[in-house]
């Protein structure tokens, strides 16, 4: 193992046999520091020296060590949970399920092992939130998987699990998601799901929030090609910690060929898996692959299709532009490795699950439970909330929803909402809801719904922003960005090109008015400044919004789309 780092949420301990009050106090202080580094949770590797040497300890030494850790954890209101046990100089790893009820295992006392434990804060007034987007091709089983994870009930093979996560009646009729669905799954301080044990068979969102030490907020995204703009909106505005790319074992990720009916050529059905993977790469979102419907492999005898699917997945993960190592998850040890290495962008976990039989669901739950939150620094304490949903609610008036990127909002706060028609309107917050729980104030990092006092719904739109200070107001009509034409599509771009610009929750057509600093991807030394960009080229480009000003500032990422995502870039200047 690598030597222990002074920062971070991973601590090495060979063994803890000294249980004096002074030693326990020092251990408790150190544990609190590690948990603060890991957003209220940390991992202890027991039997490992500070230089990373896996020496191992005996079963009796482990029992003494875990008692000392539990004493220190109790002083901080933390909970300690055993994750894995690995024999030193042996590839065999024993999972927690192989233990007896008293925590011991039938092994020789002379044998030495390395233990890995999870320490998590138990705080009834706060929780750690992980944002997970769920994308993938149409009919891959995204909504069904979310239904199984959030309710604990298996699917019947005909889509019974997905009914509980749909937003609209037409989605129930067609079985296809056309909007962004929000769902949550909670874990207590011991890492056990809290969604499955409510009165009447279903736990409400407020009950989940009260009982959870960690909450996974899912975003169910659309898979069909015609809803790609909705999927881009979800990924760009939410800034998720991880994205799960769902792939059906019975269909794979290849594009289906066009079909002919008589003399007419029907439009081919394009597989969106590759598109969603490249969106994650562009936006810097770590992703994992979840192969569903593996129960159909045996039932329908489609082993050849399953092998082709796994081969294609590995090919995409290793292709230029991605270049990561695929790791198929088959054990608890694999889950631990994937969770710890997820944000290094070096591996892509591959889970195989069945929503009907429940195979692989436990490993996926363990992965979500152990997944660390992305450590990000908020540049300002001022409020910045990007609006992606607007409703008119009877008795509440106009309600807006979006991700609160920075700052804290309180009831009765007066904020700026816009830009609309060249101005920002002053609005008063009547009510605040987060995860269907009414709050008096809410901090950054979550999806928030605000009820506005005496404000007309027609004066707010998707893409607006909520700000706390007049100094933050920006009216951007033109902007300059460093752009790159993606290699995944054949594209030629000239002056006058008018794509749809996706930037956070903003979606508006913009015209390309100027090109400079072009670099030819094939031969940079012989670049011709002919105001034409082709596949792989980079340049500095100036765009102008076609309809109205937007809240766009330097540093924001943009996606330029024309059905598919053609160009990516970062804004450098605004006007």
């Amino acid at each position: 193992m690598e030597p222990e780092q002074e920062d971070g949420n991973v601590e090495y301990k060979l063994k803890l046999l000294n249980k004096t009050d002074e030693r326990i106090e020092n251990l408790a202080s150190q544990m609190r520091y590690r948990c603060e580094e890991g957003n209220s949770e940390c991992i202890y590797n027991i039997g490992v020296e500070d230089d990373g040497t896996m020496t191992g300890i005996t079963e009796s030494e482990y029992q003494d060590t875990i008692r000392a850790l539990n004493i220190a954890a109790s002083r901080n209101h933390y909970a300690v949970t055993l994750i894995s046990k690995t024999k030193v100089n042996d590839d065999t790893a024993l999972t927690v399920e192989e233990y007896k009820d008293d925590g011991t295992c039938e092994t020789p006392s002379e044998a030495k092992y390395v233990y890995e434990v999870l320490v998590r804060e138990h705080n009834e007034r706060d929780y750690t939130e992980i944002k997970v987007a769920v994308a993938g091709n149409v009919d891959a089983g995204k909504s069904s998987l979310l239904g199984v994870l959030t309710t604990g009930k298996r699917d019947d093979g005909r889509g019974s699990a997905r009914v509980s996560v749909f937003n609209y009646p037409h989605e129930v009729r067609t079985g296809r998601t056309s909007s962004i669905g929000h769902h949550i799954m909670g874990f207590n301080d011991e890492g056990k799901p809290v969604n499955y044990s409510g009165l009447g068979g279903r736990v409400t969102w407020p009950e989940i929030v009260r009982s959870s030490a960690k909450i996974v907020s899912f975003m169910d995204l659309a898979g069909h090609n015609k809803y790609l703009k909705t999927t881009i909106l979800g990924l760009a505005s939410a800034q998720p910690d991880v994205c799960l790319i769902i792939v059906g074992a019975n269909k794979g990720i290849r594009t289906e060929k066009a079909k002919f009916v008589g003399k007419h050529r029907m439009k081919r059905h394009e597989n969106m898996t590759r598109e969603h993977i490249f969106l994650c790469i562009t936006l810097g979102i770590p992703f994992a692959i979840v192969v569903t419907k593996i129960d159909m492999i045996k039932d329908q005898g489609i082993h050849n299709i399953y092998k082709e699917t796994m081969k294609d997945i590995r090919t995409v993960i290793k292709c230029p532009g991605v270049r990561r190592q695929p790791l198929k998850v088959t054990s608890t040890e694999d889950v631990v490795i994937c969770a710890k290495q997820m944000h290094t962008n070096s591996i892509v976990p591959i889970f195989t699950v069945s929503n009907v039989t429940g195979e692989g669901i436990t490993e996926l739950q363990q992965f979500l439970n152990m997944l660390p939150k992305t450590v990000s620094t908020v540049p300002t304490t001022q409020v910045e909330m990007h609006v992606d949903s607007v409703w008119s609610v009877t008795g509440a008036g106009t309600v807006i929803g979006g991700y609160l990127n920075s700052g804290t909002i309180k009831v009765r706060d007066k904020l700026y909402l816009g830009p609309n028609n060249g101005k920002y309107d002053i609005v008063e917050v009547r009510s605040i809801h987060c995860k269907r729980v009414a709050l008096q104030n809410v901090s950054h990092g979550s999806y928030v719904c605000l009820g506005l006092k005496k404000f007309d719904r027609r004066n707010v739109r998707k893409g607006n922003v909520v700000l706390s200070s007049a100094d933050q107001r920006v009216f951007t009509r033109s902007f300059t960005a460093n752009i790159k034409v993606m290699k995944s599509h054949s594209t030629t771009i000239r002056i006058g090109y008018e794509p749809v610009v996706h930037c956070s929750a903003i979606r508006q057509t913009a015209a390309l008015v100027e090109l400079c600093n072009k670099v030819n991807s094939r031969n940079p030394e012989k670049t011709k400044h002919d105001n034409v960009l082709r596949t792989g080229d980079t340049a500095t480009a100036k765009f102008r919004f076609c309809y109205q000003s937007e809240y766009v500032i330097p540093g924001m990422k943009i996606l330029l789309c024309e059905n598919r995502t053609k160009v990516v870039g970062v804004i450098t200047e605004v006007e």
Side-chain angles (χ1 to χ4, degrees), residues 121-127 209-212:
E121 182 179 6
H122 177 71
N123 189 343
E124 296 180 355
R125 295 175 296 179
D126 197 9
Y127 55 82
V209 172
R210 285 194 301 268
S211 305
S212 300

Side-chain angles (χ1 to χ4, degrees), residues 536-553:
D537 291 351
T538 60
T540 300
K542 184 176 181 180
F543 293 88
R544 180 175 176 82
F545 285 119
C546 294
Y547 301 105
Q548 56 194 343
S549 300
E550 299 284 4
Y551 179 84
V552 172
I553 58 178

